[in-house]
């Protein structure tokens, strides 16, 4: 069998591409794990499930709303599940996830509609969200969240 320069160059290029792809494959497992947590968080918000929301948040979570209000974990979970409003829908559109060591930066476009318990009024929201997730042991926890009105 004869190996020419072209074959050698192609095999070297393929080996280099595989070596470069290996770290990306490791990162994609974390990215996939974070994506599952982000979706679980969305579902817990719709369900107004205090146990699920509490389990997804780090004890030190800083949860910031688009009106500038900042909540700790207990306050966020209480307010998110108090029944004063219920989510009719929440979409996390165009999400991006970037894992950096034990942290993950998540951004997305939030489109939602809530119904107020007091008067039945429907309120749409259109926001940009930044979430920071932290790997704690083998689990990912929401460490901070910030919202900006669009």
């Amino acid at each position: 069998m004869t190996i020419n320069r072209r074959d050698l160059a192609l095999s070297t290029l393929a080996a280099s591409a595989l070596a470069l792809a290996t770290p990306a494959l490791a990162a994609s497992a974390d990215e996939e794990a974070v994506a599952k947590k982000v979706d679980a968080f969305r579902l817990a918000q719709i369900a107004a499930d205090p146990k699920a929301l509490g389990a997804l948040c780090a004890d030190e979570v800083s949860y910031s709303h688009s009106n500038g209000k900042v909540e700790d974990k207990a306050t966020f979970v209480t307010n998110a599940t108090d029944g004063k409003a219920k989510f009719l829908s929440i979409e996390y559109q165009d999400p991006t996830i970037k894992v950096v060591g034990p942290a993950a930066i998540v951004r997305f476009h939030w489109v939602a509609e809530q119904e107020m318990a007091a008067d039945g009024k429907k309120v749409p929201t259109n926001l940009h969200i930044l979430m920071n997730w932290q790997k704690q042991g083998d689990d990912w926890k929401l460490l901070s969240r910030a919202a900006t009105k669009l």
Side-chain angles (χ1 to χ4, degrees):
M1 178 172 157
T2 306
I3 298 177
N4 60 34
R5 286 184 189 186
R6 181 175 171 260
D7 292 335
L8 183 59
L10 287 175
S11 64
T12 303
L13 182 62
S16 297
L18 182 59
L20 292 174
T22 303
L25 292 175
S28 69
D30 278 335
E31 288 171 0
E32 189 174 311
V34 171
K36 287 179 182 178
K37 292 293 185 170
V38 169
D39 195 50
F41 191 85
R42 183 184 67 82
L43 295 173
Q45 286 180 298
I46 292 170
D49 182 340
K51 187 175 181 179
L53 288 170
L56 289 162
C57 292
D59 290 340
E60 308 82 4
V61 73
S62 177
Y63 194 94
S64 175
H65 294 271
S66 62
N67 64 3
K69 186 168 103 175
V70 178
E71 298 171 329
D72 63 12
K73 182 176 181 174
T75 306
F76 161 66
V77 172
T78 297
N79 290 341
T81 61
D82 65 8
K84 292 180 182 175
K86 80 173 186 178
F87 281 106
L88 303 174
S89 65
I90 302 176
E91 291 180 55
Y92 289 1
Q93 298 176 349
D94 305 320
T96 61
I97 298 171
K98 183 174 183 177
V99 174
V100 183
I105 302 165
V106 178
R107 293 182 178 272
F108 55 87
H109 179 189
W110 157 297
V111 178
E113 185 175 41
Q114 286 181 290
E115 183 176 43
M116 299 302 165
D119 59 7
K121 183 179 178 184
K122 293 182 180 175
V123 179
T125 52
N126 185 14
L127 308 170
H128 184 267
I129 304 294
L130 167 64
M131 289 179 153
N132 291 295
W133 293 76
Q134 182 183 49
K135 195 164 192 179
Q136 297 182 352
D138 291 333
D139 201 10
W140 287 94
K141 300 282 187 173
L142 179 64
L143 187 60
S144 67
R145 185 254 198 194
T148 304
K149 291 179 184 175
L150 294 176

